[in-house]
Amino acid sequence: MMRKLLAAAGVMLALAAFPAVAGDQDFTLKNQTGYTIEQVYVAASKSNDWEEDVMGDDVLKTGASVDITFDAAENVCRFDIRVVYDDKEEAIWSNLDLCAISAVTVRYNRSTGATSAVTE
């Protein structure tokens, strides 16, 4: 019994020596488009499935921000992000390194009609 307790304590100490990496892909989404974002999808870049809307029933008004948290494999950093606006237009950004990005600011340029994403 004592040997099992010591082994379990050793495993716990070994795990404590390494920082947790779960959630490294989480980020803050900032909406500077002038439009309400109704849906946000995040998928691994090599995936063929957008999965579910991470906003659920919530929306992201222009000028607001939201922390996007989701479960992802520890060794996956490259993701695609898709946003759908209240007018059903959408924008997609591919191959973003969410392990190195803490925030994504989405902007819309009315004069050019271009939507962009600036990362931090």
Side-chain angles (χ1 to χ4, degrees):
M1 180 67 162
M2 182 61 100
R3 185 176 290 170
K4 287 182 182 180
L5 288 174
L6 288 174
V11 168
M12 290 174 65
L13 284 174
L15 290 174
F18 295 98
V21 293
D24 282 349
Q25 303 90 340
D26 296 343
F27 64 98
T28 300
L29 180 64
K30 302 174 184 180
N31 181 3
Q32 298 296 323
T33 64
Y35 295 94
T36 298
I37 295 174
E38 287 190 343
Q39 301 168 16
V40 177
Y41 299 90
V42 181
S45 288
K46 295 186 181 203
S47 173
N48 292 325
D49 183 8
W50 282 110
E51 309 226 357
E52 63 187 49
D53 172 17
V54 296
M55 294 291 293
D57 292 332
D58 295 331
V59 298
L60 183 59
K61 301 272 187 196
T62 190
S65 63
V66 64
D67 292 330
I68 303 292
T69 60
F70 60 99
D71 293 328
E74 289 180 16
N75 60 347
V76 177
C77 288
R78 297 285 175 177
F79 289 85
D80 301 338
I81 299 173
R82 175 180 160 218
V83 298
V84 180
Y85 301 98
D86 58 356
D87 64 358
K88 303 308 176 208
E89 290 290 322
E90 64 181 45
I92 297 172
W93 296 275
S94 300
N95 206 30
L96 298 175
D97 184 353
L98 292 184
C99 292
I101 294 171
S102 61
V104 176
T105 301
V106 180
R107 294 191 171 109
Y108 177 71
N109 184 324
R110 282 182 170 39
S111 61
T112 64
T115 304
S116 62
V118 178
T119 59
E120 300 171 33

CSV table of all heavy atoms in Angstrom, one decimal, residues 32-35 108-114:
chain,number,residue,atom,x,y,z
A,32,GLN,N,-14.5,44.4,-34.4
A,32,GLN,CA,-14.4,45.8,-34.8
A,32,GLN,C,-14.9,46.0,-36.3
A,32,GLN,O,-14.3,46.7,-37.1
A,32,GLN,CB,-12.9,46.3,-34.7
A,32,GLN,CG,-12.3,46.3,-33.4
A,32,GLN,CD,-13.0,47.2,-32.4
A,32,GLN,OE1,-13.5,48.3,-32.8
A,32,GLN,NE2,-13.2,46.8,-31.2
A,33,THR,N,-15.9,45.3,-36.6
A,33,THR,CA,-16.4,45.2,-38.0
A,33,THR,C,-17.5,46.2,-38.3
A,33,THR,O,-17.8,46.5,-39.4
A,33,THR,CB,-16.9,43.8,-38.4
A,33,THR,OG1,-18.0,43.5,-37.5
A,33,THR,CG2,-15.8,42.8,-38.2
A,34,GLY,N,-18.3,46.6,-37.3
A,34,GLY,CA,-19.5,47.4,-37.5
A,34,GLY,C,-20.7,46.5,-37.6
A,34,GLY,O,-21.8,47.0,-37.9
A,35,TYR,N,-20.5,45.2,-37.5
A,35,TYR,CA,-21.6,44.2,-37.6
A,35,TYR,C,-21.6,43.3,-36.4
A,35,TYR,O,-20.6,43.1,-35.8
A,35,TYR,CB,-21.5,43.4,-38.9
A,35,TYR,CG,-21.6,44.2,-40.2
A,35,TYR,CD1,-20.5,44.7,-40.8
A,35,TYR,CD2,-22.9,44.5,-40.7
A,35,TYR,CE1,-20.6,45.4,-42.0
A,35,TYR,CE2,-23.0,45.2,-41.9
A,35,TYR,CZ,-21.9,45.7,-42.5
A,35,TYR,OH,-22.0,46.5,-43.6
A,108,TYR,N,-13.6,45.3,-40.6
A,108,TYR,CA,-14.2,45.4,-42.0
A,108,TYR,C,-14.0,46.8,-42.5
A,108,TYR,O,-14.2,47.8,-41.8
A,108,TYR,CB,-15.7,45.1,-41.9
A,108,TYR,CG,-16.4,45.3,-43.2
A,108,TYR,CD1,-16.2,44.4,-44.2
A,108,TYR,CD2,-17.2,46.4,-43.5
A,108,TYR,CE1,-16.8,44.5,-45.5
A,108,TYR,CE2,-17.9,46.5,-44.7
A,108,TYR,CZ,-17.6,45.6,-45.7
A,108,TYR,OH,-18.2,45.7,-46.9
A,109,ASN,N,-13.4,46.9,-43.7
A,109,ASN,CA,-13.2,48.1,-44.4
A,109,ASN,C,-14.3,48.4,-45.4
A,109,ASN,O,-14.4,47.7,-46.4
A,109,ASN,CB,-11.8,48.1,-45.1
A,109,ASN,CG,-11.4,49.4,-45.7
A,109,ASN,OD1,-12.2,50.1,-46.2
A,109,ASN,ND2,-10.1,49.6,-45.7
A,110,ARG,N,-15.2,49.3,-45.1
A,110,ARG,CA,-16.3,49.6,-45.9
A,110,ARG,C,-15.9,50.1,-47.3
A,110,ARG,O,-16.6,49.8,-48.3
A,110,ARG,CB,-17.2,50.6,-45.3
A,110,ARG,CG,-18.1,50.0,-44.2
A,110,ARG,CD,-19.0,51.1,-43.6
A,110,ARG,NE,-20.1,50.8,-42.7
A,110,ARG,CZ,-20.1,49.9,-41.8
A,110,ARG,NH1,-19.2,49.2,-41.5
A,110,ARG,NH2,-21.2,49.8,-41.0
A,111,SER,N,-14.8,50.9,-47.4
A,111,SER,CA,-14.4,51.4,-48.7
A,111,SER,C,-13.9,50.3,-49.7
A,111,SER,O,-14.1,50.4,-50.9
A,111,SER,CB,-13.4,52.5,-48.6
A,111,SER,OG,-12.2,52.1,-48.0
A,112,THR,N,-13.3,49.3,-49.1
A,112,THR,CA,-12.7,48.2,-50.0
A,112,THR,C,-13.6,47.0,-50.0
A,112,THR,O,-13.5,46.1,-50.8
A,112,THR,CB,-11.3,47.8,-49.6
A,112,THR,OG1,-11.3,47.3,-48.3
A,112,THR,CG2,-10.4,49.0,-49.7
A,113,GLY,N,-14.5,46.8,-48.9
A,113,GLY,CA,-15.3,45.6,-48.8
A,113,GLY,C,-14.5,44.5,-48.2
A,113,GLY,O,-15.0,43.3,-48.3
A,114,ALA,N,-13.3,44.7,-47.7
A,114,ALA,CA,-12.4,43.6,-47.2
A,114,ALA,C,-12.6,43.5,-45.7
A,114,ALA,O,-12.6,44.4,-45.0
A,114,ALA,CB,-11.0,43.9,-47.6
